[in-house]
Structures are given as C-alpha cells and as structure tokens.
C-alpha cells in the first residue's frame, strides 16, 4: 500500500513558521494502531487523516500518543491539501469529526475555520501546574484546556514551565494555554501539553475556541488579531460569532512524499 503524505506549515505564510502537520488522505480507514504508528513515524505534534464521505470529509487527528477531539492547525493543513493539491472545486470544505460538523472557507491561501466555541469558566489551578510555573497567573479558567491569564505579553514571553514537574499530571486531551493582552495584537498566547512528545505547541487553533469568546467579552469586540508566541510564531485572525468561532490563517506546503505500508 502506498499513501501520499503532505507536510504543511499552518497559520503562517512563510516556511518554517506556524505549526507543522502531516496530512494523509485515505480512501478507507486503517486500523487505529496503524494510524498511531504513522503519526509516531512522522514525529510531529499532529498527523491528520481524512476520507471522503458523500459531500464531506471524515477527519481524524492524532498525536504520537492519542487521538484528539479537535485540532485547528491540522484542519487548516487538511483544507490546504484538499484545495491546493487535490484540486477541490468548491470554496467551502465540510468535515465530519468527533467535535461535530466543521467548515473551512477557502480564499486564495487563506482558510477560515468554523469551530465550536468553548467558553472557559473560573477554576482552581492544580498544585502541580502552579509549582511548575516560574510566573503565576492573575486569573485561572478551564474549558478543555486550563486558561491562565497573565498581566502582560512580557509575562507570556518570559514563561518557562518545568516540563519534568508537569509530566506528573494527566490532562487527557487538554493542555495549558497562557494568555494576556497583546502589544501589537489584541491578545497573545502560548500552549503547553504535559506528557506530549512536543511540550510547547507552536500554534494551537483549538485553544482559540476558548480564547476567542474569552477575549471577545474582555475586550468588547468580536473581531481580533491573535499571536501565538512560540519560537515558530503563529498569526490567527479571530471572530466571535456566538456559539461558534471563526479562526483564519494561511498555510504553505513544505514537502510532498509517499508512505509505503507493504509490510504491516
């Protein structure tokens, strides 16, 4: 068996920026252990697989450890592959997923993700997370992810969580998103995933399902610009539309290759 593999940088318009994902189109599902093994072999934070089902695509996202219920940058990467490499004629791509139906609107090299909103609520910080942080947050919220609100963008840049301490906590599919008002953007963030092979995620679209409604209410505006301040950096154009959020950005293809599965 031979499969195409696309390596795409998402939420960026330049190579080596944003968040890389591997995209693998399938005609039918392979066994889950095989999907996990492919993801491990790719050695990126996320590999996304999809199959055509009627007028939609059934999409699944995997880290090298687990299947995820939602992933923004890999969905954007998948839409980029469907549109640019598979020559999809429509401008709206519909996905069926563990998080329900998702939409991506395509325009040139810009992709608008239509995702569910996940408004975080006030919470308490587990002592393990608190002990791992070199700077303590001002406010603590929780949705799928812990949302830690800081005083300034400088605090976000200065964060250096203790990865070893955080390995003691299991957040399932969630992570820790640290955020603050931005200087040249409306808000900024960084995202950490305890126990994952990639500790700091470069750009996390799914975390913005919580960040967008949170900052929309805090800033009293529905359209916002967001930066994720990882080493690779990401740019996200955000819109709060009530029970849904729009997250848009660019994508560029780094490589196209083939996977051979003759001996599995």
């Amino acid at each position: 068996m031979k499969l195409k593999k696309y390596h795409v940088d998402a939420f960026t318009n330049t190579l080596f920026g944003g968040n890389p994902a591997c995209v693998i189109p399938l005609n039918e599902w392979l066994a889950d252990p095989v999907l996990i093994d492919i993801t491990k072999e790719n050695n990126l934070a996320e590999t996304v697989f999809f199959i055509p089902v009627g007028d939609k695509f059934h999409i699944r996202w995997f880290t090298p450890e687990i299947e995820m219920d939602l992933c923004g940058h890999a969905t954007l990467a998948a839409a980029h592959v469907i549109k640019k490499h598979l020559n999809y004629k429509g401008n709206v791509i519909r996905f069926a997923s563990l998080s329900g139906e998702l939409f991506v609107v395509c325009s040139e090299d810009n992709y608008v993700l239509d995702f569910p909103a996940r408004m975080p609520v006030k919470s308490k910080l587990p002592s393990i997370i608190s002990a791992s942080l070199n700077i303590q947050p001002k406010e603590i919220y929780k949705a799928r992810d812990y949302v830690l609100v800081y005083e300034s963008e400088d605090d976000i840049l200065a964060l250096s969580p203790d990865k070893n301490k955080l390995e003691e906590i299991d957040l399932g599919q969630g992570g820790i998103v640290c955020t603050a008002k931005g200087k040249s953007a409306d808000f900024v963030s960084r995202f950490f995933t305890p126990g994952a092979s990639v500790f700091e995620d470069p750009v996390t679209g799914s975390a913005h399902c919580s960040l967008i409604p949170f900052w929309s209410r805090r800033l009293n505006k529905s359209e916002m610009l967001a930066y994720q301040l990882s080493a690779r950096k990401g740019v996200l154009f955000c819109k709060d539309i009530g029970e849904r959020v729009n997250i848009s950005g660019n994508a560029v293809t780094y490589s196209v290759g083939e996977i051979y599965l003759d001996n599995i």
Side-chain angles (χ1 to χ4, degrees):
M1 182 185 298
K2 184 166 66 175
L3 303 174
K4 279 283 191 181
K5 181 180 78 169
Y6 302 85
H7 183 140
V8 175
D9 292 340
F11 291 116
T12 182
N13 57 11
T14 59
L15 281 176
F16 313 121
N19 202 350
C22 280
V23 182
I24 301 178
L26 300 172
N27 292 319
E28 59 184 13
W29 290 116
L30 304 173
D32 285 7
V34 177
L35 299 180
I36 287 284
D37 283 342
I38 292 171
T39 305
K40 288 178 180 177
E41 191 78 7
N42 290 337
N43 199 31
L44 291 179
E46 301 274 354
T47 294
V48 56
F49 304 87
F50 61 80
I51 62 172
V53 181
D55 62 349
K56 301 182 180 70
F57 296 89
H58 184 191
I59 191 168
R60 297 174 71 185
W61 311 274
F62 288 83
T63 73
E65 294 81 26
I66 60 172
E67 181 173 8
M68 297 293 290
D69 69 336
L70 188 64
C71 178
H73 84 278
T75 303
L76 192 155
H80 176 75
V81 168
I82 291 168
K83 185 66 176 174
K84 296 295 182 180
H85 295 282
L86 304 185
N87 300 314
Y88 186 76
K89 299 305 180 186
N91 290 323
V92 178
I93 301 172
R94 291 174 169 83
F95 292 106
S97 79
L98 287 175
S99 291
E101 192 168 67
L102 309 172
F103 304 87
V104 180
V105 179
C106 310
S107 174
E108 296 297 330
D109 288 320
N110 183 71
Y111 303 90
V112 181
L113 312 180
D114 186 291
F115 274 15
R118 294 173 168 172
M119 184 67 180
V121 298
K122 276 193 170 292
S123 183
K124 294 183 178 179
L125 196 61
S127 58
I128 293 175
I129 297 178
S130 180
S132 75
L133 298 171
N134 61 316
I135 306 172
Q136 296 301 310
K138 289 172 51 186
E139 304 171 56
I140 301 152
Y141 296 85
K142 178 82 163 62
R144 181 196 70 176
D145 312 307
Y146 279 98
V147 178
L148 310 185
V149 182
Y150 281 83
E151 182 70 38
S152 69
E153 181 175 320
D154 291 335
D155 285 345
I156 301 300
L157 288 168
L159 278 171
S160 182
D162 188 323
K163 179 181 178 181
N164 293 328
K165 287 182 179 177
L166 284 172
E167 285 181 351
E168 301 171 19
I169 191 169
D170 182 5
L171 297 181
Q173 295 186 345
I176 302 164
V177 56
C178 302
T179 186
K181 287 183 65 175
K183 295 178 179 178
S184 54
D186 291 292
F187 65 89
V188 297
S189 67
R190 290 172 68 191
F191 190 89
F192 304 96
T193 49
S197 54
V198 177
F199 177 56
E200 180 171 0
D201 194 44
V203 194
T204 318
S206 61
H208 287 73
C209 292
S210 295
L211 292 174
I212 291 171
F214 175 84
W215 283 110
S216 177
R217 285 152 183 75
R218 182 66 58 95
L219 301 175
N220 193 30
K221 59 193 305 187
S222 61
E223 297 190 28
M224 296 163 290
L225 174 65
Y227 293 158
Q228 193 153 329
L229 300 178
S230 65
R232 293 177 65 102
K233 296 183 173 54
V235 180
L236 307 95
F237 302 93
C238 306
K239 187 174 183 180
D240 182 8
I241 54 174
E243 294 184 356
R244 310 283 295 180
V245 296
N246 285 167
I247 312 163
S248 64
N250 305 116
V252 291
T253 302
Y254 171 67
S255 67
V256 181
E258 293 177 332
I259 297 173
Y260 298 91
L261 299 178
D262 295 338
N263 297 316
I264 62 170

